[in-house]
Amino acid sequence: MGETCVRDELRTLFLFEHLSDEQLDTLCEAGTIETFPAGPIVTEGDPATCFYVLIDGELIMSKRSGGVDIQTNRTSQRGVYFGAWSAYIPGEEHIYQASVRLVEPSRVFVLDAEGFAAFMRSQFPMAVHLLEGHLVGGRRQSQIIGQREKLLALGTITAGLTHQLNNPAAATARAVADLREGVGKMRHKLAMLADGKFSPDALRVLITIQDQVAEQVAKSKGLELTALETSDREDQIGEWLEDHGIASAWDYAPTFVEAGLDIDWLERISVSCEDADATASLQSAIGWLKYTIDTELRMNEIAEASRRISALLAGAKQYSQMDRGSYQSADVHELLRSTIMMFGDKIGHQGKPITLVKDMDKSLPELQCYPGDLNQVWTNIIDNAIQAMDGHGTLTIRTARESDQMIRVEICDDGPGIPEDIIGRIFTPFFTTKPFGEGTGLGLDLAWRIVVEKHGGDLRVMSEPGNTRFIICLPLVAPRPAEADPGE
């Protein structure tokens, strides 16, 4: 049983000093003064059942982040309040927003949450309406603009994806046009070969060589020659063709080099033509094989373009998580890969000004998480990094084990850094350094809420000129959605 509440003592607390005698009497009737031993008094996430005001003693407030409790305040100031301070707002789920631990035995004014709510509504109806509008309206505004932030990011990603899909699609169209022309010429050459100049045995040898050439073209995809080696081989083949009286010798040479052929191949073809009208037959045979190679190369281009399109669509599907539920097991490296792919040729491509460096710990286990939301986190941070570097620099993505139950993802850039006077505000809703109309100021706020509030992780930033690091720590198992069946 607590002490009897006295209005004069309540009036000494800054929170109540301007209340009337009647209001103080109402509070004393509804509440009590309790003395609590050192230790926890309020636990973050528990139902908010009481409103507390410190009279004498000392307390520590903390928030859970990254699997650990982070101290946010330590005070002995009389009148400090905590607990169900928003109980007067209707239609809300009231839980303790922070944990409070008493450092020493402390006297505390305790008021039942429902009693506190009734007092606020009856004594300060206008203030309640204002606070309700500020809290609920602000949350709704954040949700609406947060959706807009997602749509803006999606628009940027979609534009990049469209550009990426256009390249292989255009390559396919060109290859089909070239293939149609090449097949027509190959039919013409085949007719010339079959006009009696070649014996059946010679034709069989040529057909065998044709099959081998097709295999060689497939193997040549893994053949890497330097520019000097390529030039030397083209000279050798061009000279051989010229010495054997082949028209358009120097037009044929690059095609044969691309297919991986050399002088030995040409000698075999020459031998197969020895029993026919030499020059004319060799010209026809070389031309026929040239169009065969062109056909195989164009089909390789079509196959490669098709694979590229399939990979882009698979990446887009992984990025959006269209075929999966909102909470499931996911490989963090696959999520990062699909997000990077969505940025297209902005990063990581040869000749582009932004270089991509990856330092991945492939031993990391899969996460139980919200993959679509995490992709939004990567998108917002990477997009900010690209803008900070102004299109020139190095983007580094690193993964590692943080602890037995946590992993760490770092997204780093070598841009100018974040000024000291604003780094403490970058996760604040609606704070932006971008020109008016170009940023909502919710990208990093959204990332923070996804990582910290939804996944129970931690998001922090370290920055100096040339080295800005966003560090995202995630638990191996994020909290399941409230409506999910734990047995699923």
Side-chain angles (χ1 to χ4, degrees):
M1 188 70 180
E3 303 175 34
T4 301
C5 180
V6 179
R7 83 161 72 123
D8 290 339
E9 183 171 32
L10 287 189
R11 185 173 278 121
T12 64
L13 306 175
F14 73 86
L15 187 63
F16 302 137
E17 61 184 350
H18 296 299
L19 297 185
S20 67
D21 289 348
E22 292 77 14
Q23 289 172 323
L24 290 172
D25 288 340
T26 300
L27 286 175
C28 281
E29 290 174 7
T32 59
I33 295 176
E34 307 279 352
T35 298
F36 293 93
I41 185 172
V42 163
T43 302
E44 180 182 354
D46 284 354
T49 58
C50 292
F51 175 73
Y52 301 90
V53 182
L54 182 67
I55 299 176
D56 297 301
E58 186 176 6
L59 59 81
I60 291 175
M61 293 186 182
S62 63
K63 291 278 290 182
R64 193 96 176 142
S65 179
V68 297
D69 287 323
I70 307 298
Q71 180 176 318
T72 59
N73 190 23
R74 178 170 182 157
T75 182
S76 58
Q77 182 179 10
R78 302 178 74 249
V80 168
Y81 59 90
F82 56 92
W85 63 269
S86 62
Y88 50 81
I89 298 177
E92 295 289 309
E93 179 186 6
H94 298 293
I95 60 174
Y96 292 127
Q97 300 298 317
S99 295
V100 177
R101 177 170 57 87
L102 299 176
V103 179
E104 59 187 39
S106 304
R107 294 176 68 237
V108 179
F109 174 70
V110 183
L111 188 58
D112 177 82
E114 292 184 2
F116 174 59
F119 176 81
M120 290 293 294
R121 290 170 190 156
S122 63
Q123 301 298 320
F124 308 104
M126 182 177 176
V128 167
H129 285 304
L130 290 173
L131 291 169
E132 178 185 357
H134 176 72
L135 182 65
V136 179
R139 184 182 302 136
R140 288 173 181 169
Q141 187 179 29
S142 296
Q143 290 172 345
I144 291 170
I145 299 184
Q147 289 298 320
R148 181 176 181 271
E149 188 80 14
K150 289 184 178 182
L151 290 174
L152 288 173
L154 182 60
T156 301
I157 294 301
T158 301
L161 180 61
T162 300
H163 174 72
Q164 291 181 82
L165 288 172
N166 182 65
N167 289 337
T172 300
R174 289 193 302 269
V176 168
D178 292 343
L179 186 60
R180 182 176 288 110
E181 179 182 358
V183 169
K185 291 179 179 179
M186 190 166 64
R187 286 198 299 264
H188 176 67
K189 289 292 182 183
L190 182 61
M192 294 176 64
L193 290 173
D195 66 358
K197 294 179 181 178
F198 283 83
S199 68
D201 288 341
L203 280 175
R204 279 193 291 271
V205 171
L206 277 177
I207 291 171
T208 300
I209 292 175
Q210 182 188 41
D211 291 339
Q212 293 172 346
V213 165
E215 293 179 7
Q216 180 64 26
V217 171
K219 294 178 183 177
S220 70
K221 290 190 295 182
L223 183 65
E224 294 185 2
L225 299 176
T226 65
L228 182 60
E229 290 171 337
T230 299
S231 178
D232 288 344
R233 186 171 290 191
E234 287 179 1
D235 288 343
Q236 293 171 3
I237 290 179
E239 289 172 1
W240 188 96
L241 293 173
E242 263 194 344
D243 291 344
H244 289 74
I246 303 301
S248 304
W250 295 101
D251 292 334
Y252 286 7
T255 299
F256 289 159
V257 172
E258 186 179 359
L261 303 190
D262 53 22
I263 300 299
D264 291 340
W265 276 92
L266 298 178
E267 290 291 350
R268 291 173 59 192
I269 297 168
S270 178
V271 169
S272 70
C273 299
E274 287 178 351
D275 64 343
D277 180 6
T279 300
S281 299
L282 183 59
Q283 177 76 50
S284 297
I286 292 291
W288 182 43
L289 288 177
K290 194 266 186 185
Y291 292 128
T292 297
I293 293 170
D294 282 339
T295 299
E296 292 295 329
L297 291 175
R298 299 298 81 75
M299 287 193 292
N300 283 351
E301 289 177 9
I302 293 171
E304 181 60 32
S306 298
R307 281 193 291 272
R308 177 63 178 158
I309 290 172
S310 296
L312 287 169
L313 293 177
K317 196 174 186 181
Q318 169 73 17
Y319 176 82
S320 65
Q321 299 293 312
M322 288 185 299
D323 61 339
R324 309 173 77 177
S326 60
Y327 179 89
Q328 72 277 310
S329 178
D331 183 343
V332 69
H333 299 114
E334 280 300 305
L335 300 182
L336 288 165
R337 182 195 63 79
S338 65
T339 300
I340 293 168
M341 180 180 288
M342 292 301 98
F343 280 93
D345 54 7
K346 287 185 179 180
I347 55 176
H349 287 254
Q350 187 175 3
K352 295 298 176 182
I354 292 183
T355 302
L356 176 64
V357 176
K358 294 187 285 187
D359 180 12
M360 306 295 197
D361 182 355
K362 295 296 186 179
S363 68
L364 295 182
E366 290 195 345
L367 306 178
Q368 292 293 327
C369 62
Y370 302 85
D373 289 331
L374 289 181
N375 281 340
Q376 185 68 41
V377 173
W378 320 140
T379 298
N380 291 348
I381 296 176
I382 291 173
D383 189 48
N384 283 348
I386 292 173
Q387 293 185 44
M389 291 185 287
D390 196 22
H392 299 79
T394 299
L395 177 72
T396 302
I397 298 180
R398 185 178 296 114
T399 63
R401 174 79 76 160
E402 178 73 4
S403 66
D404 289 343
Q405 297 300 318
M406 301 282 290
I407 70 161
R408 184 175 74 252
V409 177
E410 294 185 12
I411 300 175
C412 317
D413 69 73
D414 57 359
I418 304 172
E420 288 186 11
D421 59 335
I422 68 170
I423 195 169
R425 294 188 287 159
I426 62 172
F427 297 112
T428 303
F430 306 108
F431 175 78
T432 180
T433 59
K434 297 176 183 177
F436 179 75
E438 294 185 16
T440 63
L442 285 176
L444 291 179
D445 169 61
L446 179 64
W448 191 90
R449 285 188 282 115
I450 289 171
V451 172
V452 177
E453 296 180 3
K454 194 164 188 176
H455 283 82
D458 185 34
L459 173 58
R460 57 188 183 272
V461 62
M462 302 173 65
S463 184
E464 61 184 16
N467 183 21
T468 295
R469 290 192 297 152
F470 280 85
I471 303 167
I472 303 103
C473 295
L474 295 166
L476 297 183
V477 180
R480 294 180 64 91
E483 67 276 8
D485 180 3
E488 290 181 351

